[in-house]
Amino acid sequence: MAIQRTWHGVRMRRVAAGADPDAPLRQITVPAAWHDTAAAALAALASGKGRVTLAGAADAWIAPVAGRDPALAERLHHLLLFRRGAPDAAIWRGEAPIEPGFVLNLAAFHDTGLGFDVAAFAEAVETAVVALSLAAPSALRLRVRLADLAGLLAALGLDYRDAAAQGVAACLAALLRGRAEAASAVLAERLGARASASSWPVPPAFCVVPGLAEAARAFRRPGAHLRHAALTAVADADAPEALLGVATGGIAPAFSPLDQEGGLSQATRSWLAAHDLSAEAALAALLRGGDPLPVADAESHAAMHDAVAPFLEAMPARPLHAAAPAMASPRRELPSRRAGYTQKAAVGGHRLFLKTGEYADGSLGEVFVALPKDGPGFRGLMDSFAMAVSLGLQHGVPLEAFVDAFTGTRFGPGGAVEGDPAVRRAGSLLDYMFRHLAVHYLGRTDLSEAEADDADAPDEGAAEGSPLLPLELPTEVSARQRRRGFRVVGR
C-alpha cells in the first residue's frame, strides 16, 4: 500500500502493544515522539489482529471517506499527524454508526509563538463534519467534541478558575457549534435538509484569544436549513483522545499537576512556560509558601460547564457542586495563593501522591490524590472523593470527623507504606491518607500504623490470590471496560 505523502519523512518506531491488558500484543508503528499509550490506543482502534502502522490504519478509513477528494484526505491525515483530531473507533473500523463522533484536541491548535490558531480550528470543525457525513450518510446526529480545554488554557497562561478562561471556553464552544452548522448547511444544499438550526445564545463579544470572539459570532445562523439535527458534544474520553495525547477529556480541569509517571504533566509544563517559570523557580516559590501551580476544584469545573453548556447539544451531567444546605456552615474560601505540600508514597507497592492546600493559619482546606498507575475509573472515584472531603473541610466539617470515619477502612491495595516515615502500614489508600493527615495536621501519632491483619489479610471467603475490591473485575468484562488507562482524566 502506498503511504500518503503526509507521512513521508516522519520518523517512526515500533511498539508491542495490546488493546487491553489481556489482549494479544500487536506490532504497532507510531511516530517516534508519541507515548506508548498512543500505541495501545491504536491497537484498540485498528481492526484485525496483526501489525498496524498509523499511516496505514489512517488511510484505511480516510481513503473510502475522502473518495476522489485529495484535499479532504490530506486535511484528515494532517489532523491526525499533528494530533489535532481523529474519529471514533467505529469510523476506524469502517462502520457506519448511528451517531458518529470526532474529537478535536484543543491544545494541539496552540503554538507557543503564534498562539491559538482560530482559522485552523474552524477548518478542522468543517473537516470533521464532512468526514463523518461521508462515513455515515444516514446519520442524523453527529458528535464533534472538544478535548483538553485545560491544556489549552495552561498554554495560554490562563487560570482555569478565572472568568477569562470561561470566556475563552464559551467562544470555543460557540465557534464549534457555528462552524459545524455552517458545514451542515452546505451539505443540506447538496443532499437535502433534514433539520433547522435552533437558536443559541450570542457568544461573548470579547475574549483574550485574538480573533476568537469574532469568529464565534460570524457563523451563528439561527433557522438555517441543516443536514443534521445535532452536531456538537462534550463526551467521555476514549481511545481517540489517547491516540492524540489528550491529557484531560472534554472541559475537565487538570486536578493534579503530575502525570501518571509522577512527573510534571504537559499542562503544568505549558503553564510554567507561559509564565516564564522554570521548574526550579516554581519549586522555589512553592518552598517559600507560594502556589505557582493553580489547581482547579469542583466549583470551577461546574462554572466551566455552565459557560459552555448553552452552546453545545450534548453534555455530561453538571459536575456536582451543590450549594451548602441551610444548616451547613458558610464556606470558608481558601486563599488564592496557599501553602501545602505533596507527599509521595507507596501503599503495598501501589504508588500515590497526596497534595494538600492550607489556610493562612496552617489548617487543612483541601486534598488531592494522584494515582499514576490506575485506570480512569478508580482515579475518577478518588478524585471525586478528594473533592468531597475538600468541600467538607471548607464548610466546617472537622478533619477529626473524617479521620474517625475513614481510618481503618480496608480494601486492596494495603500493606507496608514506603516513602512516608509518618505512616508505616495501612489497610487501604483511604486508610493511609487519613492516618497521614492525622499525624501532620492533628498530631495523632497513635494512628501511624495499622495492624498487620487489617492491612494485609484477605477478606473471609475471598478466593486465594484474588485482588481485594475495588480492584476486582467481574467474571465477564467487555474489552472496552478492561482497556488500558489512557492517561485521559475527567471530561
Side-chain angles (χ1 to χ4, degrees):
M1 178 190 299
I3 299 178
Q4 214 272 348
R5 64 180 183 178
T6 302
W7 301 93
H8 290 173
V10 178
R11 185 183 175 192
M12 297 286 185
R13 68 184 179 102
R14 287 184 179 177
V15 181
D20 63 75
D22 297 326
L25 297 180
R26 307 171 69 176
Q27 287 296 320
I28 308 295
T29 300
V30 294
W34 293 22
H35 195 276
D36 286 355
T37 51
L42 183 57
L45 291 168
S47 58
K49 298 181 179 180
R51 295 181 178 180
V52 181
T53 67
L54 179 60
D59 199 58
W61 68 263
I62 291 175
V65 167
R68 298 181 181 179
D69 187 346
L72 175 60
E74 187 170 0
R75 291 202 303 272
L76 289 168
H77 278 287
H78 269 95
L79 283 176
L80 186 57
L81 173 61
F82 292 104
R83 309 189 87 173
R84 288 181 164 182
D88 287 348
I91 306 298
W92 285 84
R93 296 167 186 155
E95 302 168 5
I98 297 176
E99 292 189 9
F102 202 103
V103 60
L104 296 174
N105 180 10
L106 291 171
F109 289 92
H110 180 270
D111 180 89
T112 303
L114 302 176
F116 183 74
D117 194 335
V118 175
F121 175 72
E123 181 185 83
V125 175
E126 177 189 16
T127 300
V129 170
V130 172
L132 294 180
S133 300
L134 294 174
S138 62
L140 183 62
R141 303 175 68 88
L142 308 183
R143 295 169 65 86
V144 183
R145 63 185 186 272
L146 306 174
D148 208 3
L149 172 65
L152 172 61
L153 294 175
L156 293 170
L158 296 176
D159 189 333
Y160 182 97
R161 300 169 295 182
D162 290 347
Q166 295 162 21
V168 169
C171 287
L172 285 168
L175 178 54
L176 172 66
R177 176 74 173 270
R179 196 67 187 89
E181 288 187 350
S184 183
V186 172
L187 292 170
E189 293 177 359
R190 293 165 42 192
L191 305 174
R194 297 183 294 180
S196 296
S198 59
S199 179
W200 40 278
V202 176
F206 171 80
C207 75
V208 297
V209 176
L212 180 56
E214 294 81 0
R217 287 170 165 252
F219 295 103
R220 185 173 177 271
R221 297 287 187 274
H225 298 298
L226 305 180
R227 180 67 180 166
H228 306 93
L231 294 145
T232 59
V234 168
D236 291 331
D238 208 340
E241 280 86 347
L243 185 67
L244 299 178
V246 169
T248 58
I251 61 170
F255 287 112
S256 171
L258 303 177
D259 61 18
Q260 284 191 323
E261 284 72 41
L264 295 179
S265 68
Q266 180 58 51
T268 300
R269 292 194 296 270
S270 296
W271 170 268
L272 294 176
H275 291 270
D276 294 324
L277 283 173
S278 65
E280 181 180 358
L283 177 59
L286 193 63
L287 293 175
R288 290 194 300 268
D291 189 6
L293 303 175
V295 178
D297 54 17
E299 182 179 4
S300 58
H301 191 187
M304 191 64 75
H305 182 281
D306 294 342
V308 303
F311 304 100
L312 301 180
E313 294 151 295
M315 292 283 293
R318 186 179 188 272
L320 294 178
H321 178 66
M327 297 300 293
S329 301
R331 184 176 183 183
R332 183 185 176 196
E333 295 289 345
L334 281 159
S336 297
R337 296 176 66 88
R338 47 193 174 269
Y341 61 86
T342 299
Q343 174 68 52
K344 176 182 177 180
V347 179
H350 203 85
R351 189 150 50 104
L352 78 150
F353 295 82
L354 175 64
K355 176 178 170 61
T356 68
E358 301 173 356
Y359 290 102
D361 62 4
S363 60
L364 183 64
E366 63 183 356
V367 292
F368 301 96
V369 181
L371 301 172
K373 298 297 184 181
D374 287 281
F378 192 35
R379 291 203 312 271
L381 285 173
M382 287 299 289
D383 283 343
S384 299
F385 177 79
M387 280 185 248
V389 172
S390 299
L391 287 172
L393 292 169
Q394 292 161 28
H395 282 285
V397 179
L399 176 59
E400 291 89 339
F402 288 113
V403 170
D404 291 343
F406 294 105
T407 299
T409 52
R410 177 175 170 273
F411 56 80
V417 175
E418 301 173 74
D420 185 353
V423 182
R424 291 179 292 179
R425 186 174 296 275
S428 65
L429 298 184
L430 293 187
D431 186 35
Y432 164 73
M433 174 179 170
F434 288 100
R435 288 181 190 274
H436 172 91
L437 294 175
V439 171
H440 285 271
Y441 287 97
L442 301 177
R444 295 279 302 275
T445 57
D446 59 308
L447 298 175
S448 63
E449 182 175 358
E451 295 294 332
D453 289 344
D454 288 341
D456 302 316
D459 291 331
E460 286 188 27
E464 184 176 356
S466 66
L468 297 173
L469 290 174
L471 302 182
E472 284 187 316
L473 292 175
T475 303
E476 295 185 3
V477 182
S478 69
R480 176 184 176 91
Q481 291 171 310
R482 295 162 64 183
R483 192 169 297 155
R484 290 178 183 269
F486 286 136
R487 299 198 306 165
V488 180
V489 295
R491 54 184 181 195

